[in-house]
Amino acid sequence: MSKTRKRLGDLLIESGLITEKQLSETLDLKAEGQKLGDALIERGLISEQQLTEALHHQLNIPQVSLFQYPINENILALVSKEFAKRNLIMPFKKEGQKLHVAMADPMDYYSIDDLRLSTGFQIEPAIATKDDISRAITKYYAMDDSIDELFEDMPEEQPDEGEEIDVNDSPVVRIVNQILTSAVEQKASDIHFDPQERHLAVRFRVDGILQTEKKLPKHMQNVITARIKIMANLNITESRIPQDGRIKLTIDIHPVDLRVSTLPTVFGEKIVLRILDLSNALNDIDKLGFNKINYNRFIELIERPTGIILITGPTGSGKTSTLYAGLNHLNSEDVNIITVEDPVEYQIQGINQIQVNANVGMTFAKGLRAILRQDPNIVMVGEIRDQETAEIAIRASLTGHLVLSTIHTNDSISTLSRLVDMGLEPFMVASSIAGVISQRLVRRICKDCAVEQEASRREQEIFAKRGLKIETVMRGTGCGNCNMSGYRGRIAIHEVLVMNEEIRNLLLNNRPVSEIHELTKKLGMIYLTDDGLLKVKQGHTTTEEVLRVALSE
């Protein structure tokens, strides 16, 4: 008698990974035709690894990890790279007439039939995570046109400055495309081409940490630089001044926007590409990582009719994502939202977005002045960089507009003194600022290799200083899914300063920042370090990560 197969949802509930309520909510919310597993991952309720384990038990199909799996190159000839990418499959072992294939969806019988007909082998499916398969395809199928082999087609000598360079030469195009594909595959936020004395270093920033990906021979530097400049429509002959540009590409069906910046250095032009994956534009406040108290404070702030709300933090701390999520929350037909940005990163339907262009005199200040004649309800200024922009933004808020912007300061309280230092009158700052949100990004512990450990004595001391207790912490031991780092993805930590009469009085009386700090402590403000340590207690990140980005007061 055949054994009845348990439904995936029931298996996940039995394993304690989700609750019945979460299951029913996901079934109601998931898109038509979307698989339950994918919908649960999208909502962050389970990890891919947990899904593959559940499918392994449900379908009784073996589970495989392709990380460091010794795959024979002869097997790759049986399945084309295009077929593997399109269907998310990876052949990994051949036994007689059986071909073992790792699949993200082992129930995809069409792909199994296609493989059986094209290869003539009996197909034995195994389950692996999507990321694991994608990484394996990039790693092994790239071998046939690997960068090392492409070097052989390149000239050995660095071209002279006056010499014409054929940047559309096939090896150069393939090398640059391969670097871009690899960066997107690894979910890098930036690609650095660093010219050194004897080589060109290619570095990726993954989860906020820079890591060297490749070291290319020095003679390739000029042709690679020229190729990127042509892609970004930059002046190929100018190498003495910095240049900025943009590249729009589709990499593996994902639309990707690259912001390109060049900078002359002693060993040649350094190029940095900021990767904006347009398919991953985060527009939901619920997914930003706010704790309940800060979430409610943030919603109250952005739903105000007037005032300035500032988001602060260093470059790459997710300020823009928070701004866009706030705008998306406010976006409706009955309000006129206009933004002035440099550059416009993500395009949102229903919002009028203006691009700053310094070459024609279109600055933040000029754009902001023009916006105020367009009958706006909500104004977003990409960044307050100078006194003129700050003054116009403040005047806009005092005349009945809600203004959202970003500014570079260390924390929310020092933002107030920074505005006064810019040359603004304290009474203008006090009367216009509604609130300041300071944020940082910390690496998230990989769910697939997280283990519970006893908190160290140092950690207990750090927590005790903040009035918190900790006995056990979570740590990632390192696995194939997180590239042995123990971290995968990032989460934001926040501090939300809401202005009130007491803070305004201190500001008007030119009281020192320390007094405002003492007052906010009494009012129960959650500082960056506190929010980070709370996320450590919840098992989202580690104490080391919090101390790396937030100063302990």
Side-chain angles (χ1 to χ4, degrees):
M1 203 174 133
S2 64
K3 190 182 172 185
T4 54
R5 187 193 293 160
K6 282 190 177 177
R7 290 185 304 178
L8 177 63
D10 296 335
L11 263 175
L12 293 169
I13 290 169
E14 269 181 36
S15 311
L17 295 171
I18 59 169
T19 62
E20 282 190 33
K21 188 186 174 188
Q22 287 171 331
L23 175 64
S24 59
E25 278 175 6
T26 307
L27 288 168
D28 292 339
L29 293 169
K30 78 181 181 80
E32 198 177 331
Q34 188 183 25
K35 294 188 173 73
L36 173 63
D38 291 341
L40 289 165
I41 291 169
E42 201 176 273
R43 291 189 67 205
L45 297 173
I46 59 169
S47 71
E48 268 198 85
Q49 186 65 36
Q50 288 167 335
L51 174 65
T52 56
E53 280 170 14
L55 287 169
H56 158 66
H57 290 299
Q58 185 199 22
L59 306 171
N60 204 21
I61 290 174
Q63 193 182 346
V64 66
S65 172
L66 298 171
F67 185 72
Q68 293 178 333
Y69 194 98
I71 294 175
N72 192 321
E73 284 180 50
N74 300 332
I75 295 175
L76 303 179
L78 298 170
V79 182
S80 72
K81 183 179 181 178
E82 287 68 34
F83 186 88
K85 276 197 161 182
R86 190 171 65 247
N87 299 291
L88 266 181
I89 62 158
M90 183 70 197
F92 65 94
K93 191 168 68 172
K94 192 171 74 171
E95 285 179 337
Q97 283 303 300
K98 287 181 181 177
L99 180 66
H100 294 263
V101 178
M103 305 180 73
D105 179 10
M107 306 289 283
D108 184 359
Y109 298 119
Y110 292 110
S111 296
I112 293 172
D113 282 347
D114 285 350
L115 269 179
R116 187 168 45 79
L117 291 169
S118 62
T119 62
F121 285 90
Q122 185 186 332
I123 305 302
E124 291 289 327
I127 304 171
T129 63
K130 286 181 183 177
D131 280 357
D132 202 9
I133 293 171
S134 295
R135 261 200 303 272
I137 292 170
T138 304
K139 181 180 173 183
Y140 292 103
Y141 277 100
M143 281 180 170
D144 55 0
D145 57 348
S146 73
I147 285 178
D148 301 327
E149 284 178 28
L150 293 173
F151 288 164
E152 295 166 17
D153 302 330
M154 301 285 294
E156 279 299 316
E157 295 299 315
Q158 175 94 316
D160 298 326
E161 270 194 37
E163 194 182 324
E164 199 166 308
I165 302 168
D166 182 8
V167 287
N168 295 315
D169 185 31
S170 181
V172 187
V173 174
R174 281 153 64 196
I175 287 168
V176 172
N177 288 351
Q178 200 169 308
I179 289 169
L180 296 180
T181 305
S182 182
V184 171
E185 197 71 58
Q186 292 183 43
K187 295 184 170 62
S189 60
D190 302 84
I191 308 169
H192 290 239
F193 291 88
D194 280 338
Q196 307 293 329
E197 191 173 2
R198 299 181 190 280
H199 63 265
L200 175 70
V202 180
R203 302 197 290 167
F204 294 169
R205 189 179 289 281
V206 180
D207 290 340
I209 306 293
L210 266 176
Q211 54 198 43
T212 301
E213 179 71 11
K214 287 264 186 289
K215 285 182 179 176
L216 305 181
K218 187 70 177 173
H219 68 261
M220 294 178 67
Q221 185 177 309
N222 281 359
V223 282
I224 285 182
T225 301
R227 170 65 187 158
I228 293 167
K229 280 183 162 185
I230 278 186
M231 289 172 79
N233 289 323
L234 299 178
N235 185 348
I236 192 173
T237 59
E238 182 56 79
S239 59
R240 297 160 300 171
I241 58 169
Q243 295 186 69
D244 291 308
R246 266 185 120 145
I247 303 171
K248 281 203 169 186
L249 292 171
T250 301
I251 296 176
D252 293 341
I253 72 164
H254 289 297
V256 175
D257 204 346
L258 302 168
R259 275 161 53 187
V260 183
S261 168
T262 73
L263 184 73
T265 70
V266 286
F267 297 124
E269 282 183 280
K270 174 178 165 71
I271 298 180
V272 176
L273 282 71
R274 164 67 57 92
I275 303 172
L276 302 167
D277 189 345
L278 301 178
S279 61
N280 283 344
L282 187 64
N283 288 325
D284 192 348
I285 295 176
D286 297 338
K287 293 176 184 171
L288 292 176
F290 279 105
N291 66 47
K292 278 184 183 175
I293 296 168
N294 282 345
Y295 176 83
N296 293 331
R297 286 173 182 169
F298 181 63
I299 295 289
E300 275 174 33
L301 281 175
I302 62 172
E303 287 181 348
R304 288 171 56 105
T306 62
I308 294 187
I309 297 154
L310 293 173
I311 299 173
T312 179
T315 309
S317 59
K319 299 188 298 292
T320 310
S321 293
T322 305
L323 264 186
Y324 278 118
L327 285 180
N328 208 45
H329 177 79
L330 299 168
N331 191 9
S332 65
E333 283 185 14
D334 55 357
V335 289
N336 179 19
I337 303 176
I338 309 181
T339 75
V340 54
E341 305 167 62
D342 180 25
V344 173
E345 291 189 9
Y346 300 116
Q347 287 157 13
I348 304 178
Q349 203 168 345
I351 292 178
N352 309 286
Q353 293 169 280
I354 301 168
Q355 173 104 19
V356 166
N357 187 349
N359 297 333
V360 295
M362 180 62 167
T363 60
F364 276 121
K366 205 166 189 178
L368 193 44
R369 276 199 188 94
I371 283 175
L372 297 177
R373 294 193 285 273
Q374 291 278 318
D375 181 34
N377 298 95
I378 299 161
V379 176
M380 192 269 263
V381 186
E383 190 182 337
I384 291 179
R385 295 177 184 168
D386 51 51
Q387 184 183 347
E388 189 184 9
T389 311
E391 278 182 355
I392 302 164
I394 279 178
R395 290 207 173 94
S397 72
L398 293 173
T399 52
H401 302 95
L402 179 68
V403 181
L404 286 85
S405 189
T406 68
I407 191 166
H408 285 282
T409 54
N410 284 334
D411 57 38
S412 55
I413 296 169
S414 61
T415 304
L416 305 175
S417 54
R418 168 90 179 97
L419 289 168
V420 176
D421 290 345
M422 268 185 176
L424 299 173
E425 293 294 337
F427 76 88
M428 287 182 81
V429 176
S431 53
S432 62
I433 300 287
V436 185
I437 296 98
S438 178
Q439 74 173 58
R440 301 285 188 279
L441 290 176
V442 292
R443 289 185 291 170
R444 193 193 282 268
I445 295 167
C446 172
K447 284 182 181 178
D448 302 325
C449 60
V451 292
E452 198 172 41
Q453 292 182 358
E454 198 177 323
S456 68
R457 196 171 159 191
R458 172 84 182 115
E459 280 177 315
Q460 288 176 348
E461 285 170 9
I462 291 165
F463 273 79
K465 257 188 199 174
R466 319 291 300 190
L468 298 165
K469 272 188 179 180
I470 187 91
E471 287 176 11
T472 58
V473 291
M474 299 298 284
R475 267 193 178 75
T477 54
C479 65
N481 289 330
C482 63
N483 229 358
M484 302 308 291
S485 67
Y487 297 100
R488 193 153 175 249
R490 287 189 289 176
I491 188 170
I493 59 173
H494 304 89
E495 91 183 12
V496 181
L497 169 69
V498 180
M499 290 291 279
N500 64 14
E501 283 309 310
E502 293 170 272
I503 298 170
R504 286 193 178 98
N505 287 335
L506 290 178
L507 198 59
L508 287 169
N509 294 322
N510 283 326
R511 304 307 299 163
V513 169
S514 56
E515 280 193 34
I516 300 176
H517 198 281
E518 282 302 314
L519 175 60
T520 53
K521 205 181 237 181
K522 284 177 193 165
L523 294 170
M525 187 169 119
I526 301 167
Y527 298 111
L528 275 172
T529 312
D530 297 326
D531 191 33
L533 295 180
L534 287 170
K535 286 182 168 72
V536 173
K537 282 197 83 161
Q538 290 161 359
H540 296 312
T541 189
T542 60
T543 316
E544 294 87 351
E545 273 298 292
V546 175
L547 297 181
R548 181 176 66 83
V549 299
L551 291 168
S552 186
E553 300 89 0

